């Protein structure tokens, strides 16, 4: 079956521009997570959605970052006034049940590589 | 705060065992995970262990958990060239399985 998909796979933008990154989770998964992975590092948590609501956005670096999930399925991560330090791979993951492993296993998408020039 | 530490590199000969170590700080973590990342591919869950277990075996993989020392290890038996990848240790945080990852251990398998 279809896994988590993310578009675009690569995005190159100029400093100061606005970008949107899209995540299509596995159908029926209510939990959705965004992570950011900088070069040579492990993924860092950004935000978690349960259904349509952002239950924890404590990982968003600042108010230039915002994410939505209006219908409880597709999510969009939005970055305003991009900076060179925003360059990273942005990963999306979804799970059937957020409460622990097993059914709570997070399935990761391939990521969007964002490069800010 | 929460933190997960791993050694950065490990080189082994094909056919030998690999042991990747990890330390974590959040004693309330319910689950601890090992993920594999190959070049150009997404993160793949290899295995996980519940915090009240000491050991879990899954084919060539053995996970050992020392909860007192907050130390987790992944042993890969009969390591193959296809096992070459970056391995991430992660702890769960919060009631909704937010993952805190280490920086990853790059495993290189040579003939």
């Amino acid at each position: 079956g279809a896994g988590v998909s993310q578009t675009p796979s690569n995005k190159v933008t100029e400093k100061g521009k606005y970008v949107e990154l899209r995540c299509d989770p596995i159908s029926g998964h209510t939990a959705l997570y965004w992570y950011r992975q900088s070069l040579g590092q492990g993924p860092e948590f950004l935000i978690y959605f349960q259904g349509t609501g952002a239950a924890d956005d404590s990982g968003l670096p600042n108010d230039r970052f915002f994410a939505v999930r209006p219908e409880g399925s597709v999510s969009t991560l939005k970055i305003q006034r991009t900076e060179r330090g925003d360059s990273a791979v942005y990963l999306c993951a979804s799970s059937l049940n957020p409460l622990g492993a097993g059914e709570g296993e997070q399935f990761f998408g391939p990521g969007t590589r964002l490069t800010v020039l | 705060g929460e933190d997960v530490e791993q050694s950065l590199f490990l080189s082994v000969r094909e056919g030998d065992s690999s042991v990747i170590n990890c330390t974590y700080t959040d004693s309330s973590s319910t689950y601890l995970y090992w993920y594999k990342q190959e070049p150009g591919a997404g993160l793949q869950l290899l295995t996980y262990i519940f915090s009240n277990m000491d050991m879990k075996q899954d084919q060539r993989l053995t996970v050992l958990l020392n909860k007192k020392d907050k130390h987790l290890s992944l042993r890969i038996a009969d390591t193959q060239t296809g096992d070459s990848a970056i391995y991430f240790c992660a702890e769960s945080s919060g009631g909704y399985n937010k993952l805190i990852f280490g920086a990853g251990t790059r495993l290189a398998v040579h003939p």
Side-chain angles (χ1 to χ4, degrees), chain A residues 33 35 37 42-43 45 48 56 98-102 104-106 108, chain B residues 31 33 35 37 42-43 45 48 88 95-99 101-103:
Chain A
Y33 309 77
Y35 296 83
Q37 186 174 19
F45 169 80
Y48 156 67
D56 182 351
L99 301 177
E105 176 183 348
Q106 291 183 34
F108 281 81
Chain B
Y31 294 95
Y33 301 84
Y35 279 84
Q37 188 174 47
L43 279 165
L45 178 64
Y48 63 89
F88 293 95
Y96 50 88
N97 214 23
K98 161 179 147 184
L99 297 178
F101 287 87

